Amino acid sequence: GDAPRTAPPGVEAPPVLHVWAAGVVSHAPELAAILRDFEETHGVTVRWQAGPADSWELIHALMVGQAPDVVLVDHETGLRLAGMNALLPIAPPDDGEPVLYTLPLGEETLWVRALRAAVPARSRHPDLARTLVAYLASAAGAAPGAGIQ
């Protein structure tokens, strides 16, 4: 189950992407299914863990510790991390458009705070991590009422 896929001798093993989710993700089964689909589609291994809702532990990991490849955080934490230059832009900005550092994974309401996906500046696989962020955002928004909170 948790071991990364192995490759035959002489062939490079597929990368392992590490995803960190803030707090307890209420849609954990849906997130796990989306990540399995991404693994199958892209031939990589994705490992995710839920971390404490307190963002200071995450900030420490992103700045000096072993950073995950993708983080799922609330909007406020995403803004704080972008302000600290701890995140990579999701994509190059279009003419005059602001730089996006996070993508929402659901619709925000007065009562529900959707998580946002971001790529830490210290990601080991930044291009693949950006692909995963875009995949998460499109998969989370594919069905009405869908989203990862």
Side-chain angles (χ1 to χ4, degrees):
D2 285 342
R5 296 180 182 149
T6 56
V11 176
E12 190 175 320
V16 177
L17 288 178
H18 295 274
V19 178
W20 185 92
V24 177
V25 178
S26 64
H27 291 341
E30 290 90 344
L31 176 59
I34 292 169
L35 294 177
R36 275 193 306 275
D37 290 342
F38 183 83
E39 286 180 323
E40 292 171 9
T41 303
H42 291 82
V44 300
T45 300
V46 178
R47 295 291 165 247
W48 75 281
Q49 69 180 54
D54 179 13
S55 61
W56 295 111
E57 185 175 327
L58 173 62
I59 290 170
H60 180 268
L62 295 183
M63 301 306 281
V64 297
Q66 186 173 5
D69 296 296
V70 174
V71 294
L72 306 181
V73 294
D74 61 52
H75 181 66
E76 180 182 314
T77 302
L79 289 175
R80 184 179 303 139
L81 293 172
M84 297 171 68
N85 294 323
L87 301 178
L88 295 174
I90 298 298
D94 291 331
D95 296 327
E97 294 291 319
V99 176
L100 292 178
Y101 290 96
T102 64
L103 285 181
L105 301 182
E107 189 174 324
E108 294 269 339
T109 69
L110 182 60
W111 307 108
V112 177
R113 296 180 76 185
L115 289 176
R116 302 177 77 79
V119 178
R122 296 179 55 236
S123 170
R124 289 172 295 252
H125 309 285
D127 292 333
L128 194 53
R130 284 182 180 110
T131 302
L132 176 57
V133 166
Y135 190 88
L136 286 170
S138 66
I148 300 173
Q149 280 89 21

